[in-house]
Amino acid sequence: MTTPPVDLCQKSKRQSSSNGLASDTTKFAKKIIPRLADYDIDPKTGFLPSSPAPLTRLSGTYFEPWELVMDDIQRLLLAGRLRERVAALPMLDTSMLGDSLREWQRACVVISFIAQAFIWGKNERAEQNLPRCLAIPWLEICRKLEVLPIISYATVELWNFKVLNPSAKWDLSNLSILHTFSGGMDEAWFYLVSIAIEAEGARALPAIVDALRAVDAGDLASLKFALTVIADVTESITKILGKMYEKNDPHIFFHRVRPFMNGWGENSDDMPDGVLYEGVTKKENLPNGLETDKGVFGKYAGASAGQSSLIHSLDAFLQVEHKPMHGGDPAKAVNAMLEMRRYMPGPHRRFIQAITDSFSVRDFIHGLPSGTEGAVELVELFNKCVEGMKAFRSAHIPIVTAYIIVPARRHKESQGQNGHIQNGLLVRGTGGTNLIPFLKQSRDETVAAKIEQ
């Protein structure tokens, strides 16, 4: 038997929607439901660019000096001559990139790889000064794309892939990487697993929007369908994450890949003052460090999966509240997860904020009157989404242990008490976090989002 529509106006002033359920005019008034197209999000591929796909090379010949360095980046690193090659680069005018977003994204990938390789080198001492020929155009590109001048999740994953067969499903059997530092398959696989997670998770984004619309309309059936999709996504991406072990050797990753993902700044023993971006001036706190007569220092975290806009979107939707690390100095407390949003492309960052500012699906479900048909199932579905994200974060912990914690300890033992250890080979995240406590806290904060039954 069908339960009649429930009057939700008994305890507060509400406006009835067309199906008899209601919108809470005090809690949900003036909320905006985001449109994916407004945030450079594709309804089928999510945060991964499609139509057109990421460029494999900048158009024309003007930027060939950059592209030619990219062509030889592994050979130059191995020969110890990349810095020499960069010093000979001409100063290029970024206005020549034109109006195409893909050209700017490609330029960001190219210059980020070159700059990161220049700074860290291959078994070399870190170079603190980034020359004008890279620093000035890099800052201009970053300001255009609303990203920071450091290698990031966007540059090594979102804008750095090719689909082998565009008409087939975007999964690990159909994705390839455009660029790596090492030239090896282990590094490529490391990036590809994250890209496959983004591809699989893309269908959660329109489902999130549909769920917000359902709350606005009081449409429990549509909300149930949207939550079912999101719960399925959380299970699927956890399975993909587990494939990391298949083609990525921990020793190779730690010693040959991870150093290039590293950042510089407060948590860097190599460059505590950050990198000096020569020839640039500070604009809107970019770069964010000390100004000198030679340029401006910048302090930034490195590339991290914590910069995935997909994972942050799911957190925002489920109202997972991340807090500064427990047990630290309150005066220096940093909310590491929220800090990672600064490294995302501007439109993606704003989408996450738009979810946060829109309707609360959690509050809507929690506030359904006892006896409302379908309410118990909605609570279970919402909690299934939360449990899926908990499982995803739990699966991340043994991966970090195998790929970072264990190799870092072995490396430290091999170096002895007085050996210099490059920052990228220490037991901490590329974002500077104390890894395992951070991951466990993030997992526990996820569980706290569940709706009590």
Side-chain angles (χ1 to χ4, degrees):
M1 183 176 70
T2 303
T3 303
V6 180
D7 183 4
L8 300 185
C9 301
Q10 297 173 1
K11 294 184 179 180
S12 62
K13 293 182 180 180
R14 299 172 185 255
Q15 282 185 329
S16 295
S17 63
S18 59
N19 67 352
L21 290 173
S23 298
D24 184 339
T25 57
T26 60
K27 186 178 291 184
F28 299 137
K30 297 181 181 179
K31 299 290 186 180
I32 297 174
I33 298 172
R35 295 172 62 252
L36 298 181
D38 294 340
Y39 302 94
D40 192 29
I41 300 171
D42 187 280
K44 293 183 178 179
T45 62
F47 296 108
L48 296 173
S50 61
S51 306
L55 299 181
T56 59
R57 203 169 190 89
L58 290 164
S59 302
T61 60
Y62 183 77
F63 292 101
E64 271 297 282
W66 291 356
E67 291 286 6
L68 290 173
V69 174
M70 281 293 279
D71 291 342
D72 290 336
I73 194 166
Q74 291 98 20
R75 290 180 283 273
L76 291 168
L77 280 169
L78 191 59
R81 299 186 63 184
L82 185 129
R83 291 170 180 166
E84 173 189 327
R85 182 75 169 270
V86 166
L89 283 174
M91 178 66 70
L92 298 181
D93 180 2
T94 58
S95 69
M96 297 295 287
L97 290 167
D99 298 325
S100 168
L101 177 61
R102 295 293 179 263
E103 294 281 349
W104 286 89
Q105 289 172 342
R106 170 65 187 173
C108 193
V109 170
V110 170
I111 207 164
S112 296
F113 266 80
I114 296 172
Q116 204 79 2
F118 179 92
I119 289 164
W120 293 115
K122 175 67 176 174
N123 296 336
E124 301 172 71
R125 282 283 181 175
E127 173 55 63
Q128 188 174 35
N129 292 9
L130 190 68
R132 297 166 56 93
C133 61
L134 290 181
I136 292 175
W138 200 10
L139 265 293
E140 292 170 350
I141 292 166
C142 288
R143 287 172 180 140
K144 174 78 171 182
L145 297 175
E146 300 178 81
V147 295
L148 296 176
I150 180 77
I151 201 156
S152 67
Y153 186 87
T155 48
V156 294
E157 269 107 359
L158 299 184
W159 304 335
N160 184 36
F161 73 95
K162 180 180 179 180
V163 180
L164 300 176
N165 180 2
S167 63
K169 182 180 179 180
W170 289 23
D171 60 19
L172 283 168
S173 69
N174 192 33
L175 293 166
S176 63
I177 283 296
L178 295 177
H179 299 287
T180 64
F181 291 99
S182 66
M185 289 187 288
D186 297 80
E187 182 180 357
W189 189 253
F190 172 67
Y191 301 150
L192 285 170
V193 168
S194 290
I195 295 169
I197 287 172
E198 295 289 336
E200 176 63 24
R203 57 196 174 100
L205 302 176
I208 286 173
V209 174
D210 289 344
L212 297 176
R213 289 199 187 103
V215 167
D216 187 29
D219 184 348
L220 302 193
S222 295
L223 180 55
K224 173 186 172 182
F225 183 81
L227 288 173
T228 300
V229 172
I230 295 166
D232 184 64
V233 163
T234 62
E235 292 181 1
S236 297
I237 63 175
T238 302
K239 292 177 182 177
I240 295 171
L241 182 62
K243 293 181 178 293
M244 182 66 73
Y245 303 100
E246 294 180 7
K247 299 178 183 179
N248 182 16
D249 181 89
H251 179 85
I252 292 174
F253 167 78
F254 183 79
H255 289 278
R256 301 182 188 175
V257 180
R258 194 167 186 266
F260 293 110
M261 299 295 104
N262 200 32
W264 40 77
E266 283 88 351
N267 293 306
S268 172
D269 296 335
D270 295 287
M271 292 178 288
D273 294 326
V275 161
L276 178 64
Y277 297 79
E278 293 184 351
V280 308
T281 56
K282 185 175 290 192
K283 181 179 180 182
E284 298 175 354
N285 203 37
L286 192 68
N288 60 358
L290 178 69
E291 293 187 72
T292 74
D293 57 352
K294 292 184 178 180
V296 183
F297 280 93
K299 301 180 180 182
Y300 300 107
S304 166
Q307 296 162 7
S308 167
S309 300
L310 171 66
I311 302 305
H312 282 257
S313 295
L314 290 166
D315 276 349
F317 173 76
L318 297 172
Q319 290 185 256
V320 175
E321 184 180 356
H322 294 292
K323 300 176 182 178
M325 282 285 293
H326 300 321
D329 182 352
K332 298 180 180 179
V334 175
N335 190 321
M337 281 297 290
L338 295 185
E339 177 73 9
M340 289 297 99
R341 293 186 186 179
R342 297 175 55 235
Y343 296 81
M344 301 172 185
H348 299 175
R349 189 166 60 245
R350 286 191 289 275
F351 176 71
I352 296 164
Q353 188 60 49
I355 296 172
T356 302
D357 294 341
S358 192
F359 297 96
S360 169
V361 173
R362 186 180 187 279
D363 288 352
F364 176 82
I365 295 172
H366 189 262
L368 289 171
S370 177
T372 301
E373 182 179 13
V376 172
E377 187 175 9
L378 286 173
V379 170
E380 292 174 348
L381 276 171
F382 185 90
N383 286 346
K384 186 177 180 181
C385 295
V386 174
E387 283 293 333
M389 289 303 295
K390 174 195 172 185
F392 180 81
R393 289 195 157 104
S394 294
H396 196 192
I397 294 173
I399 290 176
V400 167
T401 300
Y403 285 86
I404 300 175
I405 304 298
V406 172
R409 287 174 179 165
R410 288 175 179 167
H411 183 69
K412 184 177 181 179
E413 290 171 0
S414 70
Q415 295 298 302
Q417 293 293 324
N418 299 318
H420 171 76
I421 301 177
Q422 191 184 74
N423 199 60
L425 301 179
L426 294 170
V427 185
R428 64 167 69 118
T430 48
T433 55
N434 190 358
L435 276 168
I436 298 300
F438 167 72
L439 294 174
K440 288 182 176 179
Q441 180 177 319
S442 296
R443 178 197 59 194
D444 295 343
E445 289 165 344
T446 302
V447 176
K450 291 178 70 173
I451 300 173
E452 294 185 9
Q453 299 187 65

